[in-house]
Amino acid sequence: MIEFRDVTKRFPDGTLAVDDFSLVIPSRQITVLVGSSGSGKTTLMRMINRMVDATSGAVEIDGVNVSTIEPVKLRRSIGYVMQNSGLLPHRRVVDNIATVPILNGTPKAQARERALQLMDTVGLDRSLAERYPAQLSGGQQQRVGVARGLAMDPNILLMDEPFSAVDPIVRDELQQEVLRLQAELARTIVFVSHDIDEAFLLGDQVVVLERGGHIVQKGAPVDILANPATEFVATFIGADRGRRRLVVSDTARPESGDDRVLVDSGGYPVGLISARDGQLAIGSPTPKSRSVSNKTDQAGDA
Amino acid sequence: MILLQALAFILDGQNWVSGPRILYQLGVTLSISAISVLIVVVIATPIGIAIGHTGRGRGVAILLSNVTRALPTLGLLSILIVLIGVNATPVAIVLVLLGIPPMLAGVYAGIESVNRSTIDAARAMGMTEGQIIGRVEIPLAAPLIVGGLRATTLQIVATTTVASAFAFGGFGLYLIKGLNTADYVQMAAGAILVTALCLLIDGLLAVVQRLVAPRGVPRDGADSASPKPRARASRSRATATVSPLQEGMQS
């Protein structure tokens, strides 16, 4: 469990990035911090591994204040995945993944073997192990980034907009991959995003932030969607534009079967709903259940 | 025809060991250059790394470098020789002062050129500052650092000729003596020798520069995001003799 307690961060230039922020991030779940740029979401995340130190207040991991832990030691115990992968360009894929274990004194052969296993875990072909990062596609680089983040088998994984620089199809695959990994590994993941759809897809808990790290609303995606706390949230999730307001189209319908087409209030198709005997389907599928079945192979982003 | 005569002068094996003793003067040139370059490297590299790594002190470095560049070499050497005497020390001091700016510029520009997000990632995964410098910044900056070394070495080797004005040895001796005795063949020979030496050293360092280029890195530095460059083909072009100090002068 990660806990922020009355955390404030003022940068030397006077910017108040985070103002009196408190939050509990439960273990073995994905918490998504979502907000526009300037909302302090990345700053908040970087306080967990002391890439940023709080001006006041405390960040605790399982009850231990991170400020009492030496930064290098702390960072090596926490996985970190960033935008544009942040891979070391002069090291081969396998060496990138093995970097932290080797820094921690794992014998090189053993660290490389583990790195190869991690490539399997994140869906990378082992034949890419001896390549340099620049020889990989953006999606593959991000997978390497995730593998590197998992190299020390950390309980906590910080992901800073890891998929915002890849194209939408690859992003979709990578998001599914995260869900698949999480179903398998069950880590405490803190995920920063500016994309509310990504937040709703990945988050067990979604925290909507406004300038200065003010929490406008937090909760499960379904609660936020059902009851947006403020105008801001409604705008942010697209409810006010009618993007989340769906109706059954009275014109478009499949040529056969009982299905009806759902459109948003702009008239754009978003999905299908079965309507046997004119009765719209109602149910409660387990959230994220599709991610486990939907294993993506990595050929798509090669 | 002076040039041909000068070549004949150089190609005459006797001249290498007796008379003008080209071999000996080559030794003098090389040793004073090597010592000066070594001192420059020892002084400028850590300072350059500190500036590049922290991003602080750049202004001061540019200022001091510009002051050094503005010093009249010959005048400074004269004063130092008057103060210290005719030996290697004043010559080395002048050469070192002259050699520091390009080396310093190469080192800090090299370190600064490393992609900030690469360094940020290295730090975030738990590298110490020393590890960031040693395992990330220096390997990625190596071509630019050697570029600085190249510029410094050329500057120093070429300037050794000036020292000869004060009866100090080296190829400059042929220029001075030749001028005094109207022996233009000897002068031309001196010029050719020092030029050839510079070209040779520059060529060697160019090879070194290629060898230290980090593998897998696209030509224009540490941009890991750029798509599929041909890693091997690109590294041959990693030549660069940086002069951000001169940019600094203009602004």
Side-chain angles (χ1 to χ4, degrees), chain A residues 49-299:
Chain A
N49 65 351
R50 292 195 66 190
M51 286 297 281
V52 173
D53 276 324
T55 311
S56 67
V59 181
E60 295 179 353
I61 297 175
D62 295 331
V64 179
N65 191 326
V66 293
S67 70
T68 64
I69 308 172
E70 206 267 316
V72 167
K73 183 164 171 269
L74 178 71
R75 289 170 195 157
R76 287 188 192 172
S77 70
I78 295 175
Y80 189 91
V81 185
M82 61 192 287
Q83 195 180 341
N84 291 325
S85 76
L87 299 175
L88 302 178
H90 58 304
R91 293 199 178 174
R92 297 171 192 279
V93 165
V94 62
D95 296 320
N96 260 289
I97 298 173
T99 301
V100 184
I102 286 173
L103 290 179
N104 275 339
T106 309
K108 199 169 177 190
Q110 197 181 324
R112 283 173 69 102
E113 180 51 39
R114 167 93 178 113
L116 291 174
Q117 288 168 10
L118 280 162
M119 290 183 71
D120 300 340
T121 309
V122 300
L124 279 170
D125 197 285
R126 287 190 180 203
S127 65
L128 301 175
E130 300 297 323
R131 296 232 190 138
Y132 287 100
Q135 296 168 312
L136 304 183
S137 71
Q140 289 169 334
Q141 289 183 23
Q142 287 307 131
R143 284 176 197 266
V144 178
V146 174
R148 185 177 65 178
L150 293 170
M152 284 310 293
D153 209 9
N155 289 323
I156 298 171
L157 190 60
L158 307 180
M159 307 184 81
D160 185 7
E161 305 204 27
F163 310 140
S164 57
V166 293
D167 71 64
I169 294 172
V170 176
R171 185 185 312 147
D172 190 50
E173 282 178 17
L174 291 169
Q175 287 165 347
Q176 295 302 332
E177 194 77 20
V178 167
L179 290 172
R180 181 182 69 76
L181 280 173
Q182 177 65 354
E184 200 173 295
L185 305 173
R187 300 300 146 103
T188 305
I189 297 180
V190 182
F191 195 107
V192 162
S193 180
H194 60 258
D195 177 357
I196 191 67
D197 292 324
E198 183 171 72
F200 279 180
L201 174 69
L202 299 179
D204 297 299
Q205 175 179 239
V206 172
V207 182
V208 184
L209 297 169
E210 225 179 353
R211 184 160 284 280
H214 289 289
I215 298 179
V216 210
Q217 188 169 9
K218 66 177 179 206
V222 64
D223 298 329
I224 294 174
L225 183 60
N227 305 298
T230 64
E231 285 287 298
F232 175 82
V233 178
T235 308
F236 197 71
I237 66 178
D240 69 328
R241 297 190 303 276
R243 192 160 68 84
R244 308 264 179 205
R245 178 68 57 186
L246 309 182
V247 296
V248 175
S249 169
D250 56 2
T251 52
R253 65 160 63 190
E255 284 169 15
S256 62
D258 298 324
D259 287 356
R260 304 290 302 265
V261 176
L262 284 173
V263 296
D264 66 15
S265 59
Y268 292 97
V270 290
L272 299 172
I273 186 167
S274 69
R276 186 155 298 175
D277 309 324
Q279 205 55 16
L280 291 180
I282 292 180
S284 52
T286 323
K288 315 313 192 235
S289 58
R290 64 177 155 146
S291 61
V292 185
S293 60
N294 225 9
K295 281 206 179 184
T296 51
D297 66 279
Q298 53 101 47

Side-chain angles (χ1 to χ4, degrees), chain B residues 74 77 81 160-169 172-173 176 180:
Chain B
L74 204 55
L77 185 58
I81 281 181
T160 52
T161 50
V162 173
S164 308
F166 296 88
F168 192 81
L173 216 54
I176 305 293
N180 288 343

Side-chain angles (χ1 to χ4, degrees), chain A residues 21-53:
Chain A
F21 178 89
S22 295
L23 177 72
V24 171
I25 295 173
S27 296
R28 309 201 168 278
Q29 289 191 7
I30 302 181
T31 295
V32 182
L33 304 177
V34 63
S36 321
S37 49
S39 60
K41 54 191 189 298
T42 296
T43 305
L44 282 167
M45 197 194 73
R46 289 163 73 91
M47 286 179 180
I48 297 170
N49 65 351
R50 292 195 66 190
M51 286 297 281
V52 173
D53 276 324

Side-chain angles (χ1 to χ4, degrees), chain A residues 2-34:
Chain A
I2 304 168
E3 186 170 3
F4 287 82
R5 208 171 280 163
D6 309 319
V7 172
T8 294
K9 176 63 192 180
R10 188 182 289 279
F11 283 109
D13 66 0
T15 322
L16 189 62
V18 173
D19 182 19
D20 197 24
F21 178 89
S22 295
L23 177 72
V24 171
I25 295 173
S27 296
R28 309 201 168 278
Q29 289 191 7
I30 302 181
T31 295
V32 182
L33 304 177
V34 63

Side-chain angles (χ1 to χ4, degrees), chain B residues 71-224:
Chain B
L71 286 174
T73 310
L74 204 55
L76 183 66
L77 185 58
S78 315
I79 293 173
L80 287 173
I81 281 181
V82 169
L83 291 177
I84 303 175
V86 183
N87 56 47
T89 311
V91 178
I93 291 175
V94 168
L95 293 179
V96 165
L97 283 178
L98 213 62
I100 283 179
M103 186 67 203
L104 192 60
V107 175
Y108 80 62
I111 304 276
E112 276 181 353
S113 75
V114 178
N115 193 325
R116 292 295 107 185
S117 70
T118 303
I119 295 168
D120 190 68
R123 189 172 287 126
M125 67 181 154
M127 282 197 182
T128 63
E129 296 307 303
Q131 287 164 341
I132 293 172
I133 291 171
R135 302 183 190 207
V136 181
E137 289 178 337
I138 290 178
L140 290 173
L144 286 182
I145 292 175
V146 176
L149 181 67
R150 255 175 99 176
T152 287
T153 308
L154 281 196
Q155 184 104 25
I156 285 177
V157 172
T159 312
T160 52
T161 50
V162 173
S164 308
F166 296 88
F168 192 81
F171 289 150
L173 216 54
Y174 304 136
L175 302 179
I176 305 293
K177 268 194 191 164
L179 187 64
N180 288 343
T181 59
D183 182 352
Y184 298 119
V185 171
Q186 195 181 0
M187 266 183 92
I192 291 172
L193 283 168
V194 76
T195 309
L197 182 61
C198 282
L199 288 176
L200 183 70
I201 291 174
D202 194 45
L204 286 175
L205 286 174
V207 173
V208 173
Q209 199 171 14
R210 246 188 243 185
L211 292 178
V212 299
R215 286 212 261 167
V217 182
R219 173 169 52 94
D220 52 342
D223 188 358
S224 60

